[in-house]
């Protein structure tokens, strides 16, 4: 690739990749590296350093050395850095969008969703971290005789973040922002196929004022780098598959290290009998095919009340058939590429299994090599057996199944008939009915009359999965406090007991009377 390669976006060049390679933590100079390809074409564009366990050790050491100095800064100062990062991301978004598209194959509009997420997250925590982290007064042990307890928040130390390829902007940095605000350092291990997007984000963090060694990046094979990272850090934030999440959680547990993780989903969308069909069809298209279906909170199962099913199916299929595919580094394309040959193969296998089991393919159902090596047509299935791969396993591609249901009870039962519980969507003209149904759905987030945006973008509210879709929460105060250790500090105003315990029966009887009185006085409860 030359500095002026006409096949790439004009903002990217050999110099871009060389500059970003310099941000990778390496314990020693080595020649080992791995290819990074443009997803739209499958063409190699650069080679990124292949890190080893020794590099992870060095990264954690550097981060730990920098963390003490960072934690000494006031939270207000850390907030100012994050607010500058918000502005830098907006200023440098074109280069960031180019890299995200190049490495992941998504459309530009879907890449911009990630810019929005990072800025919303930075704005939220950049103005609220000081309040969330402030020392909190709690009720004393014994009113009048004890001082109020204080809860102090300390940073955990070094946070290890393992991020996936499907949202290389959001998932590389949106979990890092609250970790940094809490006074921690970060060691980031991005997905093998999207390292440069993560490296550019680290460059932008440094431009905003984050100290150079505070955020370290190790690139390369997850199976090689993941175990030493989990062993060395003080907290693990992981986003990825349920299977890998189990391994990460087990390793963290052995080390008595806390963790949070967003894992797989097989997310349902429920269209109740009073839904606005125009809105439901349009919303379902976005919920199912954003980022070519490679979205943890995207919809893969749609349950429609039988009174609306035929009309919904016909209109939905028509709308999906009109979606455009393309490789443009500009706005206007509806759906981009799958991220890799592996993802394409999974989609092909699920659709082939569905056909073999008698499912009907209403549109799509085929790869699109005429557009690019990993493109697949948006696909709508009906008559899908409940034990088919596309019905019960996460496809993570542009494939959705439709099924009629006889009322909201069946819709809820089918929605909950899965080992996952990440996100769900309910469509109804009656919002109170929608809220009642939402409370019955076993999912960490439920959006009424929307696919996922309203809950995902509600940064003040926690987001995460139930069942096998994860543990812990990102967003909201919870997403910041997870990166802290709480410490309780309390003081005794005067001695109220014998140094060892209750001295005699008389004292015990007096305390019994006091305890009974205590419960009956509202101002002391």
């Amino acid at each position: 690739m030359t500095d002026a390669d006409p096949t790439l976006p004009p903002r990217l060049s050999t110099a871009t990749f060389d500059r970003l390679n310099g941000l990778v933590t390496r314990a020693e100079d080595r020649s080992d590296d791995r290819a990074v390809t443009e997803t739209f074409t499958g063409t190699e564009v650069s080679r990124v350093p292949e890190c080893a366990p020794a590099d992870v050790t060095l990264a954690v050491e550097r981060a730990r050395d920098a963390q003490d100095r960072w934690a000494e800064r006031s939270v207000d100062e850390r907030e100012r850095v994050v607010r500058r990062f918000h502005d830098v991301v907006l200023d440098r978004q074109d280069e960031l969008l180019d890299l995200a598209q190049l490495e992941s194959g998504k459309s530009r509009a879907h890449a911009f969703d990630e810019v929005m997420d990072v800025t919303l997250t930075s704005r939220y925590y950049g103005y609220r971290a000081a309040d969330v982290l402030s020392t909190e007064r709690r009720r004393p042990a014994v009113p009048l005789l004890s001082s109020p307890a204080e809860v102090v928040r300390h940073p955990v130390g070094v946070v290890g973040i393992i991020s996936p390829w499907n949202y290389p902007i959001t998932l590389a940095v949106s979990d890092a922002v609250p970790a940094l605000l809490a006074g921690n350092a970060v060691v980031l291990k991005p997905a093998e196929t999207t390292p440069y997007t993560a490296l550019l984000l680290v460059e932008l963090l440094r431009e905003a004022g984050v100290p150079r060694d505070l955020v370290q990046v190790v690139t390369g094979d997850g199976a090689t780098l993941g175990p030493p990272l989990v062993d060395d850090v003080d907290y693990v934030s992981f986003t990825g598959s349920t299977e890998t999440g189990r391994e990460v959680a087990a390793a963290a547990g052995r080390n008595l290290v806390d963790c949070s993780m967003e894992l797989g989903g097989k997310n349902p969308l429920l269209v109740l009998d009073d839904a606005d069909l125009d809105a439901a069809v349009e919303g379902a298209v976005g919920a199912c095919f954003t980022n070519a279906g490679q979205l943890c909170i995207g919809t893969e199962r749609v349950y429609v009340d039988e009174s609306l099913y035929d009309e919904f199916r016909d209109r939905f299929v028509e709308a999906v058939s009109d979606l455009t595919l393309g490789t443009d580094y500009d706005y206007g394309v509806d759906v981009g590429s799958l991220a890799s040959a592996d993802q394409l193969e999974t989609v092909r296998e699920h659709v082939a299994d569905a056909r073999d089991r008698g499912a009907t393919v209403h549109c799509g159902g085929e790869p699109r090599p005429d557009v690019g090596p990993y493109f697949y047509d948006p696909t709508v299935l009906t008559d899908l057996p409940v034990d088919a791969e596309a019905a019960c396993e996460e496809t993570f591609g542009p494939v959705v199944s439709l099924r009629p249901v006889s009322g909201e009870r069946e819709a809820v039962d089918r929605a909950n008939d899965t080992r996952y519980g990440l996100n769900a969507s309910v469509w109804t003209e009656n919002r109170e009915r929608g809220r009642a149904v939402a409370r019955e759905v076993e999912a960490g987030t439920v959006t009424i009359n929307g696919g996922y945006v309203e809950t995902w973008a509600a940064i003040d509210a926690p987001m995460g999965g139930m069942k096998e879709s994860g543990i812990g929460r990102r967003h909201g105060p919870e997403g910041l406090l997870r990166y802290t250790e709480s410490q309780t500090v309390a003081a005794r105003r005067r001695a109220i007991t014998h140094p060892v315990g209750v001295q005699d029966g008389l004292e015990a009887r007096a305390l019994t009377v006091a305890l009974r009185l205590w419960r009956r006085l509202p101002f002391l409860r």
Side-chain angles (χ1 to χ4, degrees), residues 430-472:
N430 185 332
R431 290 185 183 177
E432 289 309 309
R433 181 189 186 193
R435 292 181 186 279
V437 171
R439 287 191 287 269
E440 294 188 58
V441 176
E442 297 164 354
T445 52
V446 183
T447 303
I448 300 168
N449 295 333
Y452 58 83
V453 173
E454 288 74 15
T455 44
W456 173 266
I459 307 294
D460 193 34
M463 184 271 164
M466 297 181 179
K467 299 192 281 191
E468 295 188 20
S469 287
I471 55 176

Side-chain angles (χ1 to χ4, degrees), residues 278 281-282 285 289 310-324 334 362-364 378-380 402:
D278 289 336
V281 169
E282 181 180 357
V285 171
F289 299 106
D310 289 344
E311 185 176 359
F312 179 92
R313 178 199 60 210
D314 294 345
R315 292 169 64 174
F316 183 70
V317 169
E318 181 180 2
V320 173
S321 300
D322 289 339
L323 293 174
T324 59
D334 293 324
H362 288 267
C363 62
T379 301
V380 179
L402 310 183

Side-chain angles (χ1 to χ4, degrees), residues 213-503:
D213 285 343
L214 192 69
V215 180
Q216 301 285 317
V217 185
V218 288
T219 54
D221 180 60
T224 300
L225 304 181
L229 179 62
V230 175
D231 284 344
D232 288 351
V233 298
D234 306 302
Y235 187 99
V236 180
S237 174
F238 173 81
T239 306
S241 71
T242 297
E243 290 69 29
T244 303
R246 290 182 190 280
E247 297 177 9
V248 173
R254 286 193 297 272
N255 296 328
L256 296 180
V257 169
D258 203 358
C259 63
S260 57
M261 48 189 63
E262 182 194 298
L263 307 176
K266 193 68 179 176
N267 306 307
L269 185 150
L270 286 59
V271 182
L272 305 186
D273 58 7
D274 64 342
D276 179 331
L277 269 185
D278 289 336
V281 169
E282 181 180 357
V285 171
C288 297
F289 299 106
T290 293
N291 197 28
Q294 299 166 116
L295 172 61
C296 294
I297 55 177
T299 295
E300 294 194 7
R301 302 178 291 144
V302 177
Y303 300 107
V304 186
D305 189 273
E306 57 191 7
S307 65
L308 302 178
Y309 178 75
D310 289 344
E311 185 176 359
F312 179 92
R313 178 199 60 210
D314 294 345
R315 292 169 64 174
F316 183 70
V317 169
E318 181 180 2
V320 173
S321 300
D322 289 339
L323 293 174
T324 59
L325 306 179
T327 61
D328 293 345
Y329 285 93
D330 203 350
Y331 297 95
V333 171
D334 293 324
V335 180
S337 174
L338 290 167
S340 67
D342 288 343
Q343 285 306 115
L344 176 63
E345 185 58 28
T346 296
V347 172
R348 294 175 69 165
E349 288 177 356
H350 280 203
V351 174
D353 175 71
R355 281 193 170 105
D356 290 344
R357 292 170 175 266
T360 302
V361 179
H362 288 267
C363 62
E366 298 294 339
R368 289 292 303 276
D370 56 309
V371 183
Y374 312 131
F375 278 82
Y376 198 93
D377 256 337
T379 301
V380 179
L381 305 174
T382 61
D383 308 314
L384 184 67
V386 294
D387 60 346
E389 291 179 339
C392 54
E393 297 299 327
E394 187 175 34
T395 303
F396 223 56
V399 179
V400 61
S401 63
L402 310 183
R403 180 179 294 274
V405 291
S406 57
E408 69 179 50
R409 182 70 265 157
E410 183 185 356
V412 170
D413 289 345
R414 289 194 178 276
N416 290 339
D417 186 20
T418 175
R419 60 192 177 103
Y420 298 110
L422 188 55
N423 180 59
S425 173
V426 178
W427 293 79
T428 173
E429 287 279 72
N430 185 332
R431 290 185 183 177
E432 289 309 309
R433 181 189 186 193
R435 292 181 186 279
V437 171
R439 287 191 287 269
E440 294 188 58
V441 176
E442 297 164 354
T445 52
V446 183
T447 303
I448 300 168
N449 295 333
Y452 58 83
V453 173
E454 288 74 15
T455 44
W456 173 266
I459 307 294
D460 193 34
M463 184 271 164
M466 297 181 179
K467 299 192 281 191
E468 295 188 20
S469 287
I471 55 176
R473 294 293 184 266
R474 57 164 55 101
H475 295 172
E478 296 88 343
L480 176 58
L481 293 177
R482 61 176 166 158
Y483 295 125
T484 66
E485 293 279 10
S486 61
Q487 178 189 44
T488 299
V489 179
R492 178 189 296 179
R493 285 179 172 163
R494 65 185 66 181
I496 59 173
T497 66
H498 187 271
V500 176
V502 174
Q503 187 171 8

Side-chain angles (χ1 to χ4, degrees), residues 1-5 8 12-19 21 45-46:
M1 187 185 73
T2 65
D3 278 349
D5 192 329
L8 294 178
L12 302 182
S13 67
T14 299
T16 303
F17 298 110
D18 290 344
R19 184 184 82 238
N21 279 341
V45 295
S46 187

